[in-house]
Amino acid sequence: MLTAAPAGLSWSVVPTLTAGAPAQLAQLAQVCWQATSAVDRYCRQPLRAVINTETSAGPGLPRITSDRNTRRGTIVTRRWPVTSVAAIQVSPSIAFPEQWTLVPPGQWRIRHPVILSAAPTPETGPSGGNAIDVAPGYITWDRGKGGWDVMTSYQSGHPHAGLAASATSGAQTLTVDDVTGWADTVGFLYDGVSTELVEVNAAAATTPVQLPGIGGTVQAGPGQLTLSQPLAFSHGAGAVLSALPPDVIRATALQASVMALENIDAIATQSLSGQMAGGTTILAEEVELILDDYRRVA
């Protein structure tokens, strides 16, 4: 995906003009890790789908509130967009250790869910929010300000995974390195001329992740995806399945170019033309411009 991206850089000069294929591959892998880290750092959160658990005290303290009229509680998460809630647990703040009580499913809702289109297509831009409303009776003022500890386990970000095994044309299951967030989601299986749109019906982790407290488990980590339609093409292990917006993928490729240009040798730099050879400022500014709308909001 990186070498195919229009980033204005010939990757054949990375890390040097005379480097062999193994050295180039090793450097590209390092650049990918560096670029991903740089993008997440700028956005102050990971953009791929992750399971988060946060514990805060409330009501009346930052991130945990309760309306005195409706008695409805609100949790403001650190990461966004919140795409699903796995568990909400409450415990009296004076309890050591905590005495968790699970808020039943259906007693919370995401205030600003991700906007879904009528047709099954991946997201093309940022949407959603980071507020979760909780039914009355769970985050209350009966214990005073900060009287409850609230533990929230939720999913944020966009599903993104690599194929852990090859898949043949006509197959309706995929073995991937991360099933987080893929259930009932649409993404592109990026594979050159064989790139195709896939719709995932179900996701099952090889070993579901245990949440803290009494929150149960979630489907995250390596596992298998079940598709709504058979694959149109065959794909090898390592092909990328992603629901990340295309502009995020482009920004990461541009950031990778910045990383590469700052590390390749002087002779290779001299072989580049135009503004690319003079520095990385223009590329870095474009990366930030694309990513500004994806930064953590609170």
Side-chain angles (χ1 to χ4, degrees):
M1 290 177 67
L2 177 60
T3 57
L9 171 66
S10 173
W11 292 99
S12 62
V13 304
V14 178
T16 67
L17 287 171
T18 58
Q24 287 185 346
L25 183 60
Q27 184 66 20
L28 286 178
Q30 180 175 327
V31 164
C32 286
W33 281 109
Q34 291 175 335
T36 299
S37 177
V39 168
D40 287 351
R41 184 178 65 252
Y42 182 77
C43 292
R44 302 195 293 267
Q45 64 176 354
L47 297 185
R48 69 179 295 164
V50 292
I51 304 297
N52 316 279
T53 295
E54 301 176 10
T55 303
S56 300
L61 296 174
R63 300 194 179 277
I64 307 293
T65 64
S66 180
D67 188 285
R68 291 183 182 272
N69 293 321
T70 65
R71 299 178 63 239
R72 183 180 70 177
T74 298
I75 302 166
V76 179
T77 65
R78 288 177 171 82
R79 292 175 174 176
W80 79 291
V82 176
T83 53
S84 67
V85 178
I88 298 176
Q89 306 171 62
V90 296
S91 171
S93 60
I94 62 173
F96 286 82
E98 298 92 342
Q99 300 172 3
W100 295 116
T101 298
L102 198 63
V103 178
Q107 297 300 294
W108 65 71
R109 60 171 173 254
I110 301 169
R111 183 178 297 179
H112 300 291
V114 172
I115 298 174
L116 301 177
S117 60
T121 55
E123 295 177 57
T124 57
S127 71
N130 66 326
I132 303 168
D133 292 323
V134 182
Y138 296 100
I139 305 173
T140 65
W141 287 97
D142 60 346
R143 294 179 178 273
K145 182 178 180 179
W148 294 94
D149 288 334
V150 182
M151 181 190 292
T152 309
S153 298
Y154 66 98
Q155 176 186 298
S156 65
H158 309 270
H160 184 82
L163 296 191
S166 59
T168 58
S169 173
Q172 210 160 337
T173 59
L174 296 175
T175 302
V176 297
D177 57 16
D178 190 5
V179 302
T180 305
W182 275 113
D184 300 317
T185 302
V186 177
F188 280 107
L189 185 47
Y190 291 93
D191 196 7
V193 296
S194 298
T195 295
E196 59 181 305
L197 185 71
V198 298
E199 185 174 358
V200 180
N201 279 351
T206 304
T207 305
V209 174
Q210 179 68 49
L211 296 175
I214 57 174
T217 61
V218 292
Q219 302 301 316
Q224 193 170 75
L225 306 178
T226 302
L227 311 181
S228 61
Q229 298 292 332
L231 291 174
F233 304 101
S234 295
H235 304 276
V240 174
L241 176 64
S242 182
L244 280 165
D247 56 350
V248 170
I249 295 176
R250 170 167 170 74
T252 310
L254 291 175
Q255 182 62 46
S257 297
V258 172
M259 298 293 187
L261 286 167
E262 291 176 347
N263 289 281
I264 60 179
D265 64 14
I267 295 177
T269 302
Q270 292 171 8
S271 70
L272 302 174
S273 60
Q275 293 172 322
M276 290 287 289
T280 59
T281 302
I282 292 177
L283 287 180
E285 289 176 349
E286 185 172 354
V287 170
E288 293 182 359
L289 182 64
I290 294 172
L291 294 177
D292 276 342
D293 288 337
Y294 296 90
R295 301 188 82 184
R296 197 175 76 187
V297 295

